Amino acid sequence: MRPTRLAAHPEELRRYLDHDQFRLYDLIWKRALASQMEAAQMDQTAVDLSAQGEDITMRATGSVLVFDGFRQVYTEGFDESSAPDRNGAGRPAEEDDRLIPPLVEGEAVTADELDPQQHFTQPPPRYSDASLVKEMEELGIGRPSTYASILQVLEKRAYVRKDQRRFFPEYRGRIVSSFLENFFTRYVEYGFTADLEKQLDEVSDGKLDWKSVLRRFWTDFKIAVDATAELSSPAVMEALDSQLEQLFFMPGPDGQINRVCTKCGSGKLELKLGRFGPFIGCNNYPECKYTRQISNDNDEASQANALDEDRLLGTDPASDLPVLLRKGPYGLYVQLGEASEDNKKPKRASLLRGTPPDDVDLQMALALLALPREVGLHPESGQPITAAIGRFGPYIAHDKKFVSLKGDDDVLSIGLNRAVTLLAEAAEKGGGQGLLRELGNHPTTGEPVTLNRGRFGPYVKHGKIMASLRKANDPETMTLDDAMVLIQ
């Protein structure tokens, strides 16, 4: 985009333009003119300033402007908060700290003002999408067509989490990285990946035989896989335990890491592998059953699961059984009574996500154990509305339709009026989960074919076959014939 003629100075056109139009034209005009000018010339300079007696020496590093060039007209990033340079043109305010006035060796300078400031060393900034792609480009890893999928896999597999567009490693990612570095060292080296990319380019150019490349890769890789497959789980965890020690255990006041079990006082806490993934456990098992889930310290769920041992909340007045707060592989839960011959499967109920263990009392536990509860009868259908907690959190259900509870809606206290309102809103939006309507009977089996709404959108169902609707399918106009195409 450029002006039709550079002679049309912005000030001459100001009276014909409103404020925003003038600012836009002024920007375009300055950039167009600056693009035709000579580049600015800067000298990178370091200046040592010594006090009289030379007992104090200070150093300043920055740039000395030798030739303004295009900066006389326009500087990238300039706005109203920027200070004008010596020629009246603007420059970013942050550049004030990097520009040094022209000085001559031996020249005397006067300290007009002293402004002492304390600075702390900052760690390198965490990767963003752009900086991680740039790093992979420099290392020769991947291709432009694969960068997006690489970043998606990192998040999809929960190796990292993104906070304010920055990547933060999760424990799962650290454990996987440690495993690969220990047992597949060669295959996670930057040089190996870049070299393999180079070989694939040569295959594409016809300079290498693709079968030879695959044969060389697979021969060595199979040896590494077979050797690792023979290792026992304890051997793998032992190799990772020492490397990840500082990640899972906090050092004490003396700087040494204390791994003594807080429950039995004699065992050593170790990294173990269980049915649901890695966890911290005591090596005195089964005498000591202390366990701690591995999750991020700043994760709300991690803080909510900070329970070292079972807690007795009280006694159920109806059954006279103890009510316990415990921690399982999926988080905290409450349990009614201990397992015994007469009570092989004690009733349990999961805590709501994010509930701190200190907030759980007997009243809350009994309310959770009473779920699902009947909220009331729907005023139109006369059928009951129930509230419960499922795999994906709290919800209400009515006539095989489900609506998730979010925000301030509490599964333990939601009333009939609010529940009816949520069901009506979900129906208007096409939301809610469950049966929408029957489309007819299958022409071969005679069983009903239904249109349903699930967690991931509408779908048709026949027996155990479920098929998601495509973009071209409208749930409002869905027919049996349309459903049969999807089912087949």
Side-chain angles (χ1 to χ4, degrees), residues 2 88 126 141 214 220 274 277-278 282 334 347 376 402 437 469:
R2 63 183 185 275
R126 295 196 177 274
I141 298 173
L214 285 179
D220 296 336
C282 180
V334 291
K347 189 170 184 179
F402 306 87
R437 69 176 188 274
L469 270 62

Side-chain angles (χ1 to χ4, degrees), residues 6-78:
L6 284 173
H9 194 281
E11 291 298 331
E12 298 176 2
L13 304 178
R14 181 187 286 270
R15 54 181 175 155
Y16 303 110
L17 307 173
D18 62 28
H19 178 68
D20 290 336
Q21 291 172 343
F22 171 77
R23 291 179 61 198
L24 177 59
Y25 180 75
D26 183 64
L27 173 66
I28 295 171
W29 185 85
K30 285 180 177 178
R31 287 185 64 124
L33 181 60
S35 69
Q36 302 304 308
M37 299 174 64
E38 291 288 342
Q41 295 180 15
M42 314 285 288
D43 280 350
Q44 301 300 318
T45 306
V47 179
D48 288 334
L49 302 172
S50 299
Q52 292 182 354
E54 299 187 355
D55 54 339
I56 297 177
T57 301
M58 294 170 288
R59 165 163 289 198
T61 58
S63 304
V64 174
L65 184 62
V66 179
F67 174 65
D68 290 345
F70 68 88
R71 293 169 65 96
Q72 291 187 9
V73 175
Y74 174 77
T75 300
E76 184 101 23
F78 167 70

Side-chain angles (χ1 to χ4, degrees), residues 71 78-93 96 99:
R71 293 169 65 96
F78 167 70
D79 55 27
E80 287 83 352
S81 63
S82 305
D85 60 21
R86 66 189 184 191
N87 293 299
R91 67 173 184 270
D96 293 346
L99 286 177

Side-chain angles (χ1 to χ4, degrees), residues 439 449-462 464-475 478 482-488:
L439 301 176
V449 177
T450 58
L451 176 64
N452 308 268
R453 182 175 297 278
R455 184 179 175 219
F456 303 106
Y459 65 94
V460 291
K461 181 179 181 181
H462 168 249
K464 295 184 178 180
I465 299 176
M466 293 177 285
S468 297
L469 270 62
R470 298 169 182 167
K471 291 183 178 180
N473 299 128
D474 183 2
M478 195 73 183
D482 296 333
M484 289 304 302
V485 173
L486 299 176
I487 290 173
Q488 290 172 0

Side-chain angles (χ1 to χ4, degrees), residues 49 51 56 58 110-117:
L49 302 172
I56 297 177
M58 294 170 288
T110 302
D112 295 330
E113 184 182 359
L114 291 177
D115 182 18
Q117 295 181 1

